[in-house]
Amino acid sequence: MRRTTAVVLALVLLQGCSPSATPPPATPQPALAASPAIPGAEGGLGTASPAPSTAGPCTIFPADNVWHADVSKLPVSRDSAAWVASIGAAAHAHPDFGTTFGIPITNVPAGQAKVQVTFEYAGESDPGPYPIPRNARVEGGANAGGDRHVIVQDTAACKAYELYAASVQPDGSWKAGSGAVYDLRGNALRKSGWTSADAAGLPILPGLPRAEEAAAGRIDHAIRFTAPKTRKSFVWPARHAASDATDAALPPMGARFRLKASVDIAKYPPQARAVAQALKTYGAILADNGSPWYFTGAEDPKWSNTQLDALKALKGSDFEAVDSSLLMVDPNSARCRAG
């Protein structure tokens, strides 16, 4: 028993969150036993994290947030082979973003007027008003079908506003399936069991690779991705399941995967290499049902579709699931254990 504990602690010490933003607190945290799923605690929004700081620049969540966690040395999950097989070991990866596709981000100025939003799933949505302009960019375009996500980033307030199935109304208000508001300086998770603008109940913004990150040569966060079938379960940091299937061979929402260290990405063009390196270091978080190994990013004309196409050489067998529960400090907080 002591030997097992020592191994787990050693692995945890090798891991942690990105040091690129404000460093996490130095206070040691007690060891937590790994757990395959989150208990159904009803903590509410913001109850698991201390009040976020209002000082300093607005980053997309603190450095000690789970989206910024380095998972390159976490142990492989015992369910990895089954989960990879269920998604598709031979299926090729697909960068579901580029110059004219992906999920667009609308940045709004300080004092942007707030408007009412009517939700289909109001019981699991954060109430408005939201600072969403009439011309906010919609995933797929104004007349698109599909998920129609709207992501608004208010850097002055350091908040993100996210909608699913969003449509602007003639009076400038919006209708949406669901919506969520995130304080980008905090680590609060949604209530256990709550959806968000994403099936897993997670924020979308922190999982989107952006062209400016690739240009700088470093993407310092996990990437959102989809799988064809998921289980009726979710693991930290996810908060919601979107399936009736109970087959243990299917991955739960929130499952974290990484690109294997053995995969050679040295000859990839710069943008593809930046994304692939992020997949090795920070991994990918299963956030929705969809096509196998579809990795979501921000729509931006600064992407090169030709460069990103190099990622299509990756296959499911190049990935492995990891046990990210070792990073968990509190099941109701996105704060992760410091390395």
Side-chain angles (χ1 to χ4, degrees):
M1 192 69 178
R2 290 180 181 174
R3 184 177 179 183
T4 300
T5 302
V7 171
V8 170
L9 287 174
L11 287 166
V12 168
L13 289 173
L14 286 170
Q15 295 307 119
C17 302
S18 168
S20 61
T22 306
T27 305
Q29 299 294 326
L32 292 176
S35 172
I38 298 173
E42 294 297 332
L45 296 178
T47 58
S49 300
S53 170
T54 57
C58 177
T59 58
I60 299 178
F61 292 123
D64 63 354
N65 188 278
V66 66
W67 284 94
H68 295 294
D70 183 334
V71 300
S72 61
K73 293 183 176 61
L74 280 180
V76 176
S77 168
R78 64 185 180 184
D79 297 305
S80 179
W83 291 354
V84 168
S86 76
I87 299 172
H92 283 266
H94 186 88
D96 196 21
F97 59 99
T99 58
T100 58
F101 59 104
I103 299 182
I105 300 169
T106 299
N107 290 282
V108 296
Q112 172 68 41
K114 293 185 176 182
V115 298
Q116 292 299 323
V117 183
T118 303
F119 296 108
E120 180 180 357
Y121 303 105
E124 294 181 17
S125 295
D126 294 331
Y130 285 39
I132 302 181
R134 182 188 292 270
N135 64 346
R137 299 171 68 195
V138 178
E139 180 185 13
N143 299 315
D147 288 348
R148 293 185 58 87
H149 288 112
V150 168
I151 310 295
V152 167
Q153 184 175 0
D154 183 344
T155 304
C158 207
K159 290 185 177 181
Y161 299 82
E162 302 186 350
L163 301 180
Y164 160 72
S167 295
V168 67
Q169 303 303 295
D171 63 357
S173 67
W174 287 77
K175 283 187 177 180
S178 55
V181 181
Y182 297 95
D183 187 329
L184 297 177
R185 288 195 172 99
N187 284 321
L189 292 175
R190 299 178 68 68
K191 277 188 179 181
S192 182
W194 273 30
T195 188
S196 61
D198 219 352
L202 291 167
I204 295 173
L205 179 64
L208 302 180
R210 296 175 293 282
E212 62 267 24
E213 295 177 310
R218 183 167 181 261
I219 297 168
D220 70 344
H221 56 81
I223 297 173
R224 174 190 186 271
F225 87 105
T226 62
K229 294 182 179 180
T230 56
R231 199 191 327 160
K232 188 181 180 181
S233 180
F234 57 92
V235 294
W236 181 81
R239 311 303 279 166
H240 185 259
S243 172
D244 292 325
T246 57
D247 186 352
L250 297 175
M253 288 294 180
R256 196 152 179 163
F257 293 74
R258 70 180 170 219
L259 183 61
K260 293 177 180 177
S262 59
V263 177
D264 185 5
I265 62 173
K267 294 183 180 179
Y268 281 20
Q271 290 187 348
R273 189 165 62 249
V275 174
Q277 186 59 56
L279 290 169
K280 285 191 174 190
T281 305
Y282 305 100
I285 299 179
L286 180 55
D288 200 357
N289 298 306
S291 299
W293 308 113
Y294 266 49
F295 297 95
T296 318
E299 177 187 343
D300 194 315
K302 294 189 291 294
W303 285 117
S304 164
N305 294 340
T306 301
Q307 289 194 36
L308 293 176
D309 278 349
L311 295 168
K312 295 178 181 178
L314 299 173
K315 297 186 296 184
S317 57
D318 293 321
F319 293 87
E320 57 195 2
V322 299
D323 184 2
S324 60
S325 67
L326 294 173
L327 299 174
M328 186 174 67
V329 175
D330 184 310
N332 293 307
S333 171
R335 181 186 176 208
C336 69
R337 198 176 298 279

